[in-house]
Amino acid sequence: MLTQVKKRDGRVVNFTKEKITRAIYLAAQNVGGTDYSKAEELTEKVISYIMNNLPNEEIPTVEFIQDCVEKVLIENGHAKTAKAYILYRAKRTRYREAKSELMDVVKEILKETSRENANIGNSPSAKMLQIASAASKQYYLHNVIPEEMAKAHINADIHIHDLDFYGKTLNCLQIDLTKLLLNGFNTGYGYIRPPKRISSATAQAAIILQSNQNDMYGGQSFPHFDKAMAAVIRTFKEKPSYEEIFQAMEALVYNLNSMHSRAGAQVPFSSINLGTDTSEEGRMVIRAMLEAFDKGLGRGESPIFPNLVFRVKKGVNFEEGDPNYDLFKLAMKVAAHRMNPTFSFMDSSFNAKYGDEISYMGCRTRTIQNRNGLEISAGRGNIAPVTINLPRLALKAGFGNIDGFFKNLDEILDLCKRQLLHRFEVLANLRVKDLPFLMGQKLYMGSENLKEEDTIREAIKNGTLGIGFIGLAETLKALIGKHHGEDKEALELGYRIIEYIRKYTDKTSEETGLNFVCYATPAEGTAGRFVPYDRKMFGLIEGVTDKDYYTNSYHVPVTQEISIFDKIEIEGRFHKLCNGGHISYVELPSTVENNIEAFEKILKWMAKCDVGYAGINFPIDECRVCGHRGIIHNECPECGSEDIRRIRRITGYLSTIDRFNDAKKKELYDRVKHGWN
């Protein structure tokens, strides 16, 4: 007599045959069956089969009983029902595995928050947010995303970014600050009227960034901060003094380094583009913001946010005699001290036709082409990105098999297209009220006439869908044994690969009417994710899987001994291909704040090499006790403290090393400094 059953966790419970009957009946229903008595009849046969095949009268396990059900169904001519039962069983198995994996993740988060991005702290709020994030990821992978795409992510063929927000919201936005400050806005707790003082204007700017960050998962940026603030100043009855403007900018910097969003887990990923307004008010705003950033925080600490992006343009600020050349010199001085601002080049071949309209996110995102509306930055952003594991395509093809690699690339590009289209459709069905500040306050282009219950499709068709990539250097090593930083043939092949992706996104844009773009993935969270999978599949391969990370997008490997000028010349070729976002930077051994001419020489070379967006990196170490600043090895040379704040650039944004994930820490350790020749 069958009376007990052993569950998967080892517990022994009473056997209930009705559970078998119900499982068989539900499987039968899935293929059109309606006879419950037949399910009962089959249950008796299952029990009989169990009793005849159970060794030594052991207590049967759940798995053994399910195997018996499958066999009885098949042997009794119910193949379709058996198939439905098998599929249901597989689904339940995946659910259990996901649940088990989730519990393991929660256990780790309770010890230490994940470092998928370097802007997350270790507070209780951060832990709670990440636990919810982990649960959300599992839900979308196993219940919303089509199985083929979910498997590709799980197996590390691709990386679907920000899975936890898959169907909740969009990535990032360039915010039209002018419109919000001149017209006022509502955060949900009442109307905020247009400011009458510059201090109120910058306070509102911080509130806008924080409020929209809570509606999105990516960066928040002001594309024309200098012009927006200048326009607001011109509405004041009393014009502010430079000192008042400086104090307002200083307060903004303080706010953006202390005002948390996302349930207190992190400050907003903020970027501020400036540099091209030549009006008296605009020039004061640019100077004040640069000087406030240069002054630092309360004890002189380097600000992490906002990411300042200084826009350079001939005839405006890039050459001696230009009306804002003095501000360009100031921007270089500040960057040589604080590692910010970064620099965007309005005259590069792919930016020039837009005048000074181009704006960048600190992470590198660039949104400008638009098949569905105005080609401007304000009111637009990236909807969502997906990243290709390029080295795996090369490893699967095999050394020298270029044609096989491109065949693999075709297949994965098609998968990425379909994945982004699926995500677009999920997001397009969100309603305005689901994103109350972003859509409710009409921040997104195309949302102007949408009502609370309307879906957001008409707005987000103006955003971009990014197909990104990681590890071009390792891909080339796997295919021909050399990467683009050491061999011209590899450089030409590397260019051909990224050009192929760009042509595919252009073609897909024409076919779908949406803005598909080629994106040079920042590779912060993905930097170390792909390698362990590929090492397990293909072994330890020199120059490919022998590190704990893949090289960022099209970058020359960080271990490569190469001059500043050669690195920029090589990487500059790829900027025009990556229309969804790009960045290059060079590593200096220390600050060049006493040699601004050298700093300017680097930027001029970047412009010559058709770079769109770039930064110049060097170590920033600050003693938290006495405030000493410089290159500090183990302890402060002034006070002996070992409490050192170490700031480095990660994927475009600045961060402290303690917030880097393990893969990025390894990359940081490997980075060589770039010489002048």
Side-chain angles (χ1 to χ4, degrees):
M1 179 94 180
L2 193 56
T3 59
Q4 293 181 309
V5 61
K6 185 180 288 185
K7 303 197 72 167
R8 290 177 180 83
D9 60 6
R11 289 181 297 130
V12 175
V13 299
N14 292 334
F15 172 75
T16 307
K17 68 177 183 180
E18 285 76 17
K19 288 186 176 180
I20 296 177
T21 304
R22 177 170 173 75
I24 293 173
Y25 181 65
L26 288 174
Q29 278 190 318
N30 280 334
V31 293
T34 59
D35 190 349
Y36 191 82
S37 63
K38 176 60 72 173
E40 291 177 319
E41 178 186 325
L42 288 167
T43 299
E44 295 301 329
K45 292 183 178 182
V46 170
I47 293 171
S48 176
Y49 186 88
I50 293 170
M51 296 303 295
N52 291 333
N53 291 276
L54 189 65
N56 303 322
E57 296 187 353
E58 291 179 4
I59 298 173
T61 64
V62 170
E63 290 290 340
F64 178 75
I65 292 174
Q66 290 179 337
D67 289 343
C68 294
V69 171
E70 288 181 16
K71 192 167 185 66
V72 167
L73 288 172
I74 292 170
E75 289 181 351
N76 284 269
H78 298 281
K80 288 184 179 180
T81 301
K83 183 177 180 181
Y85 180 82
I86 290 167
L87 290 173
Y88 173 76
R89 183 180 177 186
K91 183 177 180 181
R92 293 294 299 173
T93 298
R94 290 196 302 272
Y95 173 78
R96 285 191 301 273
E97 290 172 349
K99 185 177 178 182
S100 175
E101 180 185 338
L102 174 59
M103 292 304 102
D104 290 341
V105 170
V106 169
K107 186 176 180 181
E108 290 302 310
I109 290 171
L110 289 173
K111 292 185 203 170
E112 180 80 18
T113 54
S114 164
R115 298 302 187 196
E116 189 169 329
N117 80 63
N119 189 24
I120 291 180
N122 199 41
S123 67
S125 293
K127 287 182 167 63
M128 286 299 293
L129 184 74
Q130 289 215 324
I131 290 170
S133 169
S136 185
K137 288 177 182 178
Q138 293 297 339
Y139 170 76
Y140 284 118
L141 276 174
H142 297 284
N143 296 276
V144 176
I145 301 172
E147 186 174 1
E148 178 192 13
M149 302 166 192
K151 281 185 175 179
H153 174 88
I154 292 168
N155 296 334
D157 291 316
I158 63 173
H159 183 81
I160 301 173
H161 290 263
D162 298 278
L163 263 172
D164 44 342
F165 288 96
Y166 190 90
K168 296 186 185 80
T169 188
L170 319 176
N171 182 5
C172 57
L173 187 69
Q174 293 279 5
I175 300 171
D176 189 344
L177 181 61
T178 309
K179 180 176 74 172
L180 290 173
L181 291 184
L182 293 182
N183 298 331
F185 56 93
N186 192 322
T187 62
Y189 293 92
Y191 174 70
I192 309 296
R193 68 177 180 227
K196 297 181 179 179
R197 297 181 180 84
I198 187 62
S199 58
S200 299
T202 56
Q204 288 184 21
I207 291 168
I208 290 165
L209 289 171
Q210 182 191 40
S211 298
N212 210 49
Q213 182 77 91
N214 282 324
D215 269 8
M216 306 186 80
Y217 61 79
Q220 305 301 315
S221 176
F222 294 137
H224 307 288
F225 180 77
D226 45 358
K227 293 184 178 181
M229 284 294 166
V232 171
I233 289 172
R234 285 192 283 271
T235 68
F236 298 161
K237 291 181 179 179
E238 292 185 18
K239 296 299 183 281
S241 67
Y242 177 76
E243 180 60 28
E244 289 173 316
I245 295 174
F246 173 83
Q247 288 178 352
M249 298 304 151
E250 185 177 48
L252 178 58
V253 172
Y254 273 55
N255 276 331
L256 294 181
N257 285 276
S258 60
M259 188 168 67
H260 285 70
S261 60
R262 294 189 187 168
Q266 56 191 240
V267 296
F269 284 93
S270 55
S271 299
I272 286 177
N273 291 259
L274 76 177
T276 56
D277 192 326
T278 58
S279 70
E280 179 185 0
E281 298 87 354
R283 283 176 48 78
M284 285 198 293
V285 167
I286 297 167
R287 179 175 296 279
M289 175 52 76
L290 290 170
E291 291 185 342
F293 196 93
D294 195 40
K295 184 179 178 182
L297 303 177
R299 294 181 177 176
E301 305 100 318
S302 293
I304 300 298
F305 291 106
N307 196 91
L308 296 181
V309 183
F310 192 90
R311 295 133 55 89
V312 295
K313 184 171 178 58
K314 292 179 181 178
V316 177
N317 56 28
F318 199 41
E319 296 174 327
E320 195 161 359
D322 289 346
N324 279 6
Y325 181 71
D326 59 328
L327 297 176
F328 173 53
K329 297 280 282 189
L330 176 60
M332 290 189 288
K333 174 180 175 292
V334 176
H337 180 210
R338 298 294 190 185
M339 225 187 330
N340 259 336
T342 46
F343 294 84
S344 61
F345 298 84
M346 301 295 99
D347 297 317
S348 58
S349 63
F350 43 89
N351 285 340
K353 70 176 183 177
Y354 300 105
D356 68 346
E357 176 56 38
I358 294 292
S359 298
Y360 285 84
M361 298 280 185
C363 63
R364 74 195 54 198
T365 298
R366 170 186 181 271
T367 304
I368 190 68
Q369 291 96 332
N370 191 6
R371 302 183 64 83
N372 298 300
L374 294 175
E375 291 189 316
I376 60 176
S377 295
R380 303 178 62 220
N382 184 248
I383 300 167
V386 61
T387 289
I388 298 170
N389 181 352
L390 271 185
R392 177 172 294 182
L393 305 182
L395 292 168
K396 286 171 66 177
F399 187 82
N401 188 1
I402 308 299
D403 290 341
F405 168 80
F406 278 101
K407 181 177 182 296
N408 293 338
L409 182 56
D410 273 331
E411 292 174 355
I412 209 73
L413 282 169
D414 178 68
L415 178 71
C416 288
K417 175 186 75 173
R418 288 185 285 114
Q419 189 277 310
L420 287 173
L421 287 173
H422 177 267
R423 192 168 189 172
F424 179 86
E425 289 301 322
V426 172
L427 292 169
N429 286 314
L430 290 173
R431 291 170 295 179
V432 168
K433 70 178 185 181
D434 295 322
L435 302 169
F437 193 76
L438 172 63
M439 296 294 172
Q441 293 303 297
K442 318 303 181 186
L443 272 65
Y444 217 96
M445 181 187 292
S447 65
E448 297 83 6
N449 298 317
L450 297 181
K451 298 180 175 60
E452 193 177 49
E453 294 293 335
D454 289 341
T455 63
I456 64 172
R457 181 184 299 273
E458 281 302 303
I460 68 171
K461 69 182 184 183
N462 293 294
T464 56
L465 294 162
I467 297 182
F469 61 93
I470 187 174
L472 178 63
E474 289 79 13
T475 302
L476 296 168
K477 291 286 281 189
L479 284 175
I480 62 174
K482 294 182 179 180
H483 62 70
H484 56 309
E486 58 187 358
D487 180 80
K488 288 187 177 179
E489 178 191 355
L491 176 58
E492 293 307 314
L493 178 58
Y495 186 89
R496 181 182 161 198
I497 290 170
I498 307 309
E499 183 181 43
Y500 194 89
I501 298 174
R502 170 61 186 275
K503 286 181 178 178
Y504 182 87
T505 58
D506 287 349
K507 181 183 71 172
T508 303
S509 293
E510 292 176 11
E511 293 171 352
T512 64
L514 298 173
N515 299 307
F516 277 79
V517 291
C518 176
Y519 184 53
T521 298
E524 183 179 349
T526 55
R529 178 173 179 257
F530 289 151
V531 178
Y533 289 88
D534 291 348
R535 189 182 296 144
K536 185 176 180 180
M537 291 175 66
F538 302 101
L540 195 67
I541 301 172
E542 183 180 355
V544 184
T545 61
D546 56 347
K547 305 185 302 296
D548 291 323
Y549 56 89
Y550 281 146
T551 302
N552 190 325
S553 60
Y554 53 74
H555 288 188
V556 172
V558 298
T559 56
Q560 180 72 16
E561 297 285 349
I562 189 171
S563 76
I564 291 169
F565 303 103
D566 287 344
K567 182 178 191 290
I568 293 168
E569 185 174 12
I570 290 168
E571 293 183 5
R573 295 187 62 178
F574 294 91
H575 281 227
K576 65 183 176 184
L577 300 178
C578 300
N579 58 332
H582 44 251
I583 193 172
S584 286
Y585 37 76
V586 295
E587 299 285 337
L588 303 183
S590 61
T591 175
V592 289
E593 55 189 317
N594 295 320
N595 190 357
I596 300 303
E597 291 76 15
F599 200 103
E600 185 169 7
K601 184 178 180 182
I602 295 172
L603 293 180
K604 297 289 186 183
W605 182 250
M606 287 175 171
K608 185 175 182 179
C609 292
D610 210 25
V611 164
Y613 181 48
I616 297 176
N617 297 348
F618 49 86
I620 295 179
D621 298 335
E622 299 171 342
C623 177
R624 286 191 173 98
V625 175
C626 72
H628 175 77
R629 182 180 173 280
I631 297 177
I632 305 174
H633 297 291
N634 296 315
E635 60 183 39
C636 176
E638 294 290 330
C639 70
S641 172
E642 295 181 358
D643 187 8
I644 310 300
R645 184 175 185 245
R646 302 184 188 277
I647 299 173
R648 304 294 185 269
R649 193 184 309 282
I650 180 171
T651 69
Y653 290 112
L654 301 184
S655 180
T656 52
I657 290 178
D658 58 295
R659 296 196 174 199
F660 280 34
N661 59 41
D662 289 342
K664 277 298 178 183
K665 285 179 180 176
K666 295 284 180 61
E667 183 207 291
L668 179 64
Y669 178 80
D670 289 345
R671 290 181 187 177
V672 300
K673 309 304 179 187
H674 302 124
W676 293 91
N677 50 47

